[in-house]
Amino acid sequence: MKTDPKSKADLSAQIAKAIRDAIIEGRMIVDERLPSEAELSEQFNVSRPTVREALKRLAAQSLIRTQRGAFGGAFVNRLSYEEAYGQHITTSTLLLSMNGVNFDVACEARYALERACTPMAAARRDPDHLATMRAEIHRQAQPGLSDEGFCASDVTFHRALVDAAGNPVLSYQLAGAVEAMQPLMNMITFTARSRGEIVTLHTRIADAIEARDADAAEIALRELETYTLHLGRDVMAARAQNS
Amino acid sequence: MKTDPKSKADLSAQIAKAIRDAIIEGRMIVDERLPSEAELSEQFNVSRPTVREALKRLAAQSLIRTQRGAFGGAFVNRLSYEEAYGQHITTSTLLLSMNGVNFDVACEARYALERACTPMAAARRDPDHLATMRAEIHRQAQPGLSDEGFCASDVTFHRALVDAAGNPVLSYQLAGAVEAMQPLMNMITFTARSRGEIVTLHTRIADAIEARDADAAEIALRELETYTLHLGRDVMAARAQNS
DNA sequence: TGCCTTTAAAATGTCAGACATTTAAATGTA
DNA sequence: TACATTTAAATGTCTGACATTTTAAAGGCA
């Protein structure tokens, strides 16, 4: 496990990279124990705090987990879907918000990806996913629901649609696209009329998925994209006028 | 910026979470300077090494960058597409390799997402993307190319296809799906015959994109998926027999 | 002997203080 | 004014110590 002194990075970053590479390249396998902090500081010829900083970097990426006590230490962590979701969503959300990504662009990406799932979702949907979709549609029709609640329910609905495709890799990849849109969607004030429109489209999507009619689902999804785009543009226009 | 003492996490993890939340929720904006390590250790009532561990966690996620010297410190980092790509690819690759994801499942996800890009790619492709695709096809036809080189070129080709859609959010989301497949693809030994088949299909895709014929591109892409699936299954079958 | 309790050891978690290094602003000088 | 020097503020690193957690082994008791 060698570090590259040429790079001008911090020692802790170099050490983290060396260990990370070992994990990525399979030289360290899942659940394998890393040397103790004291041993690592000897191996890399640095102090223990420096080693610890390196380990914290890896822990932040869920590449390792640590356990205290005798026979504890740092272990290569099996990256779970849940952890990966979290990482992906955080990164996606910040990427969009920090770079002032256009609502249209984000919207286009999200719906394009989502449409890619519909054929599989229509073919493989099981009662659980349908039940979730129906439940969320019902919630979205409640008059007392806040805008944030409406958006959150929208995300749950669409994630159920994606999950219905029965491909966990696809679900993981789309989690970022769907969830990262939420802050942008939260800027929209949903009137009773727009909620009604969305609920209608959601119902059409759920019906199409239940009927295993991929084409109908895709068409409804495309209409939903168009409608969402309009709502977003209205908000942007109103905002531009106020400033 | 409050920490939650109820959670049993490490202090450095709690502090990292508090700062991370402040960034995500927009309470700290891009390029804003964090308090110095000494000030943070006072604020959170912990020692400086603990604060540093927290900052390293955030740095590992590219949420902050640090600068030494007077008027240096830690700054909220504008997450660039490049950094986000790196994060996403690392996570995706490990997710697939550590969970022994089925070749078929990964393949299905990848091509489903890629097909979602083709209509936009056909509509918006510019000469640069086409040139990259042609160049990679040419490289793939070189007899001396190693299997790894062939795979790497394959990734470049497909990324050019995705980038041709002209939606950076889409490119970002797909980077994970395309790149994470590479280790799985690397297990395949590409014979002269299979390379020829792939080059033919790549050429059909490039031709279709150039002709702005989305349907033809999608059909060729679907054939490529089927063919890749066959190659993968052959490898798996051979591997099963050897064990 | 067998079970329970205690103890010891090993590891991470945290703290305190010191020094090294880097960087840019402030200062001094030709 | 332009350039070189100084200085201060910050991160980077090291040393050593102590606290806490956890498990395995040792020891005591019925």
Side-chain angles (χ1 to χ4, degrees), chain A residues 11-158:
Chain A
L11 287 177
S12 71
Q14 288 177 39
I15 292 165
K17 179 174 184 341
I19 299 174
R20 180 164 37 237
D21 287 348
I23 295 172
I24 291 174
E25 291 166 19
R27 297 203 305 280
M28 301 200 70
I29 62 170
V30 167
D31 292 335
E32 185 175 340
R33 184 180 175 279
L34 275 70
S36 72
E37 296 176 353
E39 288 170 318
L40 285 171
S41 50
E42 264 201 35
Q43 281 184 30
F44 287 107
N45 216 12
V46 297
S47 67
R48 212 184 127 213
T50 303
V51 166
R52 282 181 62 79
E53 287 177 7
L55 294 180
K56 295 312 171 197
R57 289 177 188 265
L58 299 175
Q61 296 180 297
S62 303
L63 297 190
I64 62 169
R65 61 176 188 279
T66 54
Q67 209 176 341
R68 294 180 68 168
F71 294 76
F75 298 82
V76 177
N77 186 46
R78 180 187 305 280
L79 191 64
S80 67
Y81 276 94
E82 202 172 344
E83 286 164 335
Y85 275 29
Q87 301 269 343
H88 187 27
I89 290 170
T90 300
T91 306
S92 301
T93 305
L94 284 170
L95 182 68
L96 262 56
S97 73
M98 285 182 167
N99 292 280
V101 169
N102 195 285
F103 186 86
D104 294 12
V105 171
C107 209
E108 175 180 271
R110 172 192 160 163
Y111 282 100
L113 295 175
E114 213 165 321
R115 277 198 305 274
C117 300
T118 49
M120 286 171 258
R124 299 180 193 156
R125 94 285 186 288
D126 72 32
D128 277 358
H129 299 124
L130 273 175
T132 302
M133 292 168 73
R134 298 293 186 192
E136 295 303 327
I137 290 174
H138 185 259
R139 175 172 305 162
Q140 288 157 21
Q142 301 286 325
L145 193 64
S146 69
D147 278 349
E148 287 75 18
F150 187 82
C151 284
S153 171
D154 185 71
V155 167
T156 307
F157 173 87
H158 285 278

Side-chain angles (χ1 to χ4, degrees), chain B residues 122-136:
Chain B
R124 300 179 192 157
R125 95 284 187 287
D126 72 34
D128 277 357
H129 299 123
L130 272 176
T132 302
M133 292 169 74
R134 299 291 185 194
E136 295 303 328

